Amino acid sequence: MSSRASRAAAALGGAAAVLHVPLALAHAGASLPAAAALLLMSLVCLPCAGHLWRAPCRRAWATCALTGGGMLAAHGALLTLHAAPPSAAPLLVTGHGAHASALPALGSGPALALVSLLTAAQVALCCAALARAGAARRRGTMPG
C-alpha cells in the first residue's frame, strides 16, 4: 500500500477531524449533546489519521474504512433526524439550519457537507488500497 495514498487518506481524515471543531462550536449554544458528539467524532478521526500517516498497514486501512463508513452513516442519520420543512424550522431547537451558526463562514450545512465529502473520499481511498492489497496478495506480488 503506497505511502502517497496513506498520506492522502491521513490528510483527509485530519481535515475532517479539524472541521468537526467549528461544527461543535456552532452547535454548542443550541445543543450541548450535539456539540459533544461532534467533538467525540473528531477525536475518533485523529487516531486513524495518525496510524495511516505513520504506519499504514492493512489493519489501519480497514479500521479507517469502517470508522469512516460509520461516520457517514451517523452524518446521514443526524441529517435525517433533524430534517424538517422550512415552516417548522422555528420550532426546532437542534435541527441543522434551524439556528444561526456561531461561525457563519462554516455554518452547519456547508461544513457538514464538506466533512462528509472528505470522509467519503477517505473511505473510497481506503477501500481502493485494501482492494489493491488483496489483489496483490492473491497474485503473490505483495511485498513482505
Side-chain angles (χ1 to χ4, degrees), residues 2-31:
S2 81
S3 177
R4 188 181 323 164
S6 66
R7 299 274 168 124
L12 289 168
V18 168
L19 285 174
H20 277 93
V21 175
L23 277 171
L25 293 175
H27 284 81
S31 173

Side-chain angles (χ1 to χ4, degrees), residues 76-102:
L78 287 172
L79 287 174
T80 302
L81 289 173
H82 295 296
S87 61
L91 302 175
L92 295 175
V93 176
T94 61
H96 289 284
H99 56 277
S101 170

Side-chain angles (χ1 to χ4, degrees), residues 94-141:
T94 61
H96 289 284
H99 56 277
S101 170
L103 302 170
L106 283 172
S108 294
L112 184 61
L114 181 58
V115 168
S116 296
L117 180 65
L118 292 171
T119 304
Q122 182 187 34
V123 168
L125 190 58
C126 290
C127 289
L130 286 167
R132 275 192 309 271
R137 192 172 64 221
R138 283 188 298 277
R139 285 190 311 265
T141 59

